[in-house]
Amino acid sequence: MSSKYFEYQLTVDNILETGVTTFPNREIVYRDIRRYTFSSFSDSVKRLLSGLKKNINIKQGDRIGVMDWDTDVYLHAYYSVPMSGAVLHTVNIRYPPELILKTVLQAEDKYLIVRDEFLPLVEKAANFIPVGMKIITYNDNKEKVKSSLPVIDFWELVDSNEPSEPENLNENMMATLFFTSGTTGEPKGVWFTHRKLVLHALGVSLVGGRPPLNLSTKDTYLILVPMFHVHSWGYPYVFMLNGVKYVLPGRYDYGLILKLMDREKVTFSAMVPTILYLLISHPDANKYSNVFKNWKVTIGGSALPEGLARKAQELGITVLCGYGLSETCPVITVSYYNSLVENDNDENKFYETITAGAPLPFVKIKIFDPITGKEKNRGEIGEVVVRSPWLTQEYYKDPEKTEALWKDGWLHTGDLGFIDDKGYLHIVDREKDAIKSGGEFIPSLLLEDVISLHPKVSQVAVVGVKDEKWGERPVAFIVPKGDLKEEELRSFLNDLANKGRIQKWWIPDRFIFINTMPLTSTNKIDKKALRDQIK
C-alpha cells in the first residue's frame, strides 16, 4: 500500500513561515536605521538565501562566520544561513584578536560576514586565513566597503536576487556552531541541529506565557544578550514564533537603549545582571520611570544578587531568572510561578523568582554527588546534571571533553546547586569557583547575594584565595555607592549571620574597593581577572 505521508521537518525556515503566516505586519526595528514587517523581512531573508547559493555557491555544511553587533544583518544570517543548509558560526567579537582567529580557523569557516568596523581585524590576519575564504561585508548606509582584500557586498547579495525557498533541509542537519566564553579554560566548540533550535524556541516560548511574565503577542522585545552569545538565548527565533515586535539595539549604547525602549514601547528584555545594573543606574534612568513600570526582564548568565533584584522591584520592574549554559542551547530553567508558588505570598514569590528556576518542558534535572556519582536528596547540594532534547551532543572535534561532559548519559554542568521543596533549582556556585575553606564549601554566590543587600553596595564579587591554615578564604571586591567603610560591611554581615542568613565563618577576610568590575566578553563579572589582582 502506498502512502503520500509527508514527514514534517523541525527546521529554521518553518519558524520564519510560522511568523509570517500569522503576523505578517508585525515589526522588526533596527535602531533608527531600518524597519521591516515580518513579511518584508522574510522576503529579504529569501533574497539573501538566493545570493548565498547563486552568487557565491554556498554548499550544505559550509561554515559561515559572522562578526557583527546585534543588527538586522545578523538577524538575516540567523535565518538565511541555516536555511541554505550551511552552518552559522556566531563569532565572539569581544575575544582578543588572536582568539577570534583561532575560533574561525577551528570552525573551518569558508565565509565570513563582517561588519565594516571589524574588517581591519580580518585584513591584519590576511596571511593566516585560509586561501579562498570569501569575505562578505557591509555598512549601515549600504555603501560599498573598500578593503585590501577581495570582498562581496552583503546588500548586493540581497538586492540583486529574487527570493528563493530552501531545499532538502533535514531537521538533524547542523545549523549553528559557536565557542564557549572560555571563563574556565580554552573555548570549546558546541553545535546544534535545526531540530534542537526549534524545540528550544518552543520551550522558551511556552514558559514566557506563564506568570509572572505573562508575555503575549502584544509585547515588544528588546533583547540585550549579544547575538554571538548562545543564540542570544534563542530569542531571534522565539520572537518570530510568538509574533511580537522585535527591537535590535546594534552596538550597546545604554543611553540610546533607554531611548529605544521609550520610543518603541519595549515591554520585555533579557540580559545578564551587569546590563540591568548599568541601565537602572544610568544618569538618564530617572527620565524613564514610566518605561521601567511596564518592563519585564529575564536575567541569566550569572546569579542575580538580591540587592539588585530589590532595586529593580522598587522601580516597578518585573524580574525573574533563568539558567543554562553554552552546552544547553542555553535555557533549561526559568523562575516562572509553578502551582506550588502561584498562590504564595509576595515575599515567598520574590525569593523563588531569584532562584535559577523550574525546568522548561522536556527538561530533566538531577543533583549528583560529584565524587560518588549518586543522586542527592531534595535540599542537598551537588552537581547539576541535565537531560533535554536540545542539548549539544558533543564538543566540536573534542571526544575526550565530550566523554566527560556526557558521563553516565547526563550532561554535567559543572555547577553546584540544589532543588528546593517547591521544585526550584538553586545554583550556589561553579564547581571551580566554590571556596573550599577548612574542609567545607563557602558558596560565593550566596555570599555575594547578602553583601548586595547593603544600601551602599553597587556591585560585589567574591573569590577564593589560598590560605595556609584553611586552604582558601573569601575575598570580596566591592564597587561602592558613596562613602563605604569596611567596618560598616562587617557589622552588616555579622547582623545577618546572627539572623541566620549566613554563617559567621563565611564573612570575607578582606574587602577590596574598586571603581568598576572587570567583565568577560559576555558582560559577566570576570572572577579570573579579580583573582589575578590579589596574587
Side-chain angles (χ1 to χ4, degrees), residues 103 147 354 378 408 507 511:
T103 57
S147 173
I354 61 173
R378 279 279 174 104
D408 300 322
I507 296 175
F511 294 89

Side-chain angles (χ1 to χ4, degrees), residues 237-276:
Y237 301 128
V238 170
F239 90 88
M240 185 63 69
L241 282 178
N242 287 346
V244 297
K245 182 177 177 180
Y246 199 63
V247 181
L248 292 154
R251 184 173 187 167
Y252 293 178
D253 173 332
Y254 299 104
L256 176 61
I257 287 168
L258 289 169
K259 290 178 183 177
L260 277 173
M261 289 173 60
D262 186 30
R263 188 186 75 197
E264 304 298 337
K265 309 304 179 191
V266 169
T267 58
F268 173 72
S269 299
M271 64 197 71
V272 298
T274 306
I275 302 293
L276 178 61

Side-chain angles (χ1 to χ4, degrees), residues 227-440:
M227 294 180 77
F228 64 74
H229 180 56
V230 207
H231 308 124
S232 193
W233 297 355
Y235 285 106
Y237 301 128
V238 170
F239 90 88
M240 185 63 69
L241 282 178
N242 287 346
V244 297
K245 182 177 177 180
Y246 199 63
V247 181
L248 292 154
R251 184 173 187 167
Y252 293 178
D253 173 332
Y254 299 104
L256 176 61
I257 287 168
L258 289 169
K259 290 178 183 177
L260 277 173
M261 289 173 60
D262 186 30
R263 188 186 75 197
E264 304 298 337
K265 309 304 179 191
V266 169
T267 58
F268 173 72
S269 299
M271 64 197 71
V272 298
T274 306
I275 302 293
L276 178 61
Y277 166 77
L278 290 170
L279 285 170
I280 67 175
S281 62
H282 191 275
D284 294 337
N286 61 349
K287 301 176 184 176
Y288 298 98
S289 57
N290 289 333
V291 174
F292 292 151
K293 288 176 183 176
N294 296 310
W295 198 27
K296 295 165 278 191
V297 176
T298 297
I299 295 292
S302 55
L304 173 64
E306 183 181 337
L308 180 58
R310 291 201 181 275
K311 289 169 189 171
Q313 188 182 55
E314 290 169 6
L315 293 169
I317 303 168
T318 300
V319 179
L320 71 163
C321 297
Y323 167 72
L325 48 157
S326 297
E327 293 84 347
T328 62
C329 197
V331 187
I332 52 176
T333 63
V334 172
S335 59
Y336 57 86
Y337 298 158
N338 68 14
S339 63
L340 298 176
V341 171
E342 61 187 358
N343 296 318
D344 213 334
N345 63 62
D346 288 345
E347 190 65 4
N348 288 344
K349 283 181 178 178
F350 171 81
Y351 278 115
E352 294 295 2
T353 58
I354 61 173
T355 68
L360 268 63
F362 308 116
V363 171
K364 294 181 180 179
I365 293 175
K366 290 187 181 294
I367 307 296
F368 282 1
D369 187 306
I371 298 174
T372 67
K374 293 182 179 179
E375 186 175 355
K376 307 282 277 186
N377 295 321
R378 279 279 174 104
E380 294 182 337
I381 294 174
E383 186 189 8
V384 180
V385 299
V386 62
R387 285 176 176 166
S388 168
W390 53 74
L391 311 183
T392 190
Q393 62 196 65
E394 65 179 4
Y395 285 124
Y396 185 63
K397 295 188 175 182
D398 197 334
E400 186 176 332
K401 286 189 174 68
T402 298
E403 186 72 20
L405 179 71
W406 278 104
K407 182 182 176 183
D408 300 322
W410 289 85
L411 188 144
H412 289 253
T413 66
D415 287 325
L416 297 175
F418 67 91
I419 297 174
D420 67 23
D421 59 355
K422 294 181 180 176
Y424 286 72
L425 176 66
H426 297 243
I427 302 298
V428 301
D429 229 327
R430 285 291 297 171
E431 193 172 358
K432 294 182 180 181
D433 284 341
I435 301 164
K436 303 171 185 70
S437 185
E440 300 285 345

